[in-house]
Amino acid sequence: MPFHSLLRASACLFALAAAAPAFADEADADARTIVVTAPRLTTTPTAEAVTADSQPATAPDTAAFIARLPGAALVDNGVLSGQVQLRGMFGERILLRINGQHFASGGPNAMDPAMHYAPMVLVDRIELARGISPVRDGPGLGGGVNVTLKEVRFAEGGSLAPQLDATAQYRSADDSFAIGGLAGLANDKLRLGVFASREEGDDTRFPGGRIGGTSYNRAVYGVQAGLRAGPGELSVEYRRQETGRAGNPPFAMDIVYFHTDFLRAGFKGDLADGVRLDVHAHYAGVAHRMNNYSLRPAPALSATRQSDTTARTLGTGLALEIGTDTLHIRLGADFEHVDKQYQLYNPNSPAFSIFPLDKARSSRVGGYAEWRGALGGVEVEAGGRVDAHRAATDAPRFGPGVPMGPANLARAFAGADRQWTGTTVDGALRLWSDLGAFTPRLTLAHKTRVPSLVERFSWLPTEASGGLADGNIYVGNVQLKAERAWLAEAGFDWSNGSAYARPAVFWRRVHDYIQGVAYDATPGVLDTPVEMVAAASGDATPLRFANVEAQLWGADVAFGTKLAGPLRLDGVASWVRGRRVDIADPLYRIAPASLRLALGWDGSNWGLSLEGEGVAAQNRVSVTNSERRSTGYVTAALHGHVVLRDGVRIDAGVENLFDRHYVEHLSGYNRNGFGDVAVGARLPGAGRSAYLRLRVAFEG
Ligand SMILES: [Cu+2]
């Protein structure tokens, strides 16, 4: 059925392609997004932007695409639940946004990390800040990623003209198809668009069989509009995502569904000469269900569990920029409110129902100032922000079938102080100098992150941990303080027309880094109610979230050179280390060193590249998180593309060319008894996989 749908879709796209008028005028503009090849990135001093076509990536989530960039890696918690790791940090430490919108994940284990909501077939481009994100984007400890989905563009004249941008893909590793795109009408004042995507995949195959519980399906649809009124633009977008059953083998449960709505409205424009206003408001609402019996062998009736969770995020922002692009002051304020609910129950025994998070909510009000200018030959961006935070949760409800242990913990938590307020201060200074082919860069920053609602308020010992997937049972800690990091980063961009290199070294010291630690001084001895409840749930040595001290450092680089004629070599290398400072223990789930080299042939309208990736063993593992070592591996891939005519591009290739069995250090340990991976073993990477992708884009 998937393949038939794909054929139908392809036939449909070919028909459209044949009908597409030539658009010589737009060819250049489109070349930017359609014809880019090989891992070459455009760079500004503060961020890197890549287009969706510039990297061969076939996984449905954008997290896997981002993982190909320098300093980045994929934390694989499920086909639709991949998290971005940047320089050793992942989860809420990274400032992730889609179309500029930041929102809370709906799953207490982040089964829907931000990139869950960015299907690759709808992605236009990605901006990546490897080191830190600017203070105007909000607080955030590590780097930042903003994914921009495809958007209808304003046209030249006054008459409405059609636009289309559609992609269809098939890949063999999971017999999956993805189809999606955007259709719209635009003139110089108005743009209107509708977009949709649909993806379906079976279990992923690896050289030993198939990985149980890795099938998935997901649909996205929505509308967008923009209106140019006088000197400004008004924009509005609504997007709905329906994720169906999708597996999460490293977790105790799998996704039954996510139903998520996104709404965003904004205005950008010139108030007066040199005064720009940017104001927006957005909402995201997630409804989620997961369980431990639909996509994996069902446990005994008394142990069946299902969870219903919700998360809602409301945000607004206002910024005023006074000056020119290169010399200005920017003043802004923003607000974000999040509420979360998490109910756990036994569907076979309705009296067993409990709320590990009951009406938990947090809010943040922030203000910032940024200055962009130059001192002598040195370009400067300096900014500071202050945020006031609040968090609270209700006394947890629970049903009559809940055993005495958890019921007593609920009563104790009801009597505890369940409110927190705090203030954070962030500052960032970026310096760079444009010396022709050579641009040295230096960044110094102080960045913060407040504890998540799960880290602070999960009073019931469960595996909810924001996606750590280490198999440990965790309990929250209302005393947690905000994480504070000092960062220094130095690097340069160099290019001479035929070769380029963008290396960076970084160092980050994190005070009050939040990590699980032994619940008390006598781990394994069941002398507290929390340990007794945890032991009854299968873990006699639960961890509690605590503030510890940490340090991360490393280096990464993107580089490339022309070799001879159209033959070129490109590469990306990443290396990061992380360790606790207060005790001798490496940090958990840090990507091993990696190097990817691509030997490419750039034809005038086609390209071919042979890619090899080597990943080192990871022997520096966290004892605290019971992390296992992993061995290194090498894989190869072949990627090709051809641009048949302006706006019609076909990509095809083979990943894991030699069908190697390999295990990524950052994938979790299997807990799904279906399939051919032993329970408890680290999940393997996909076997040899061929793919075919067609993209058609035109502006009429
Ligand atoms: Cu979930």
Side-chain angles (χ1 to χ4, degrees), residues 107-108 111 258 288 290:
M111 284 179 175
F258 278 99
H288 169 48
M290 55 182 165

Side-chain angles (χ1 to χ4, degrees), residues 192-195 221-225 236-240:
L192 296 168
V194 293
F195 53 92
Y221 49 91
V223 292
Q224 56 178 231
V236 57
E237 183 186 273
Y238 169 73
R239 200 164 84 247
R240 167 88 173 171

Side-chain angles (χ1 to χ4, degrees), residues 247-264:
N248 299 86
F251 289 151
M253 297 190 187
D254 299 299
I255 297 169
V256 178
Y257 63 71
F258 278 99
H259 300 159
T260 306
D261 293 298
F262 293 89
L263 190 60
R264 189 180 196 278

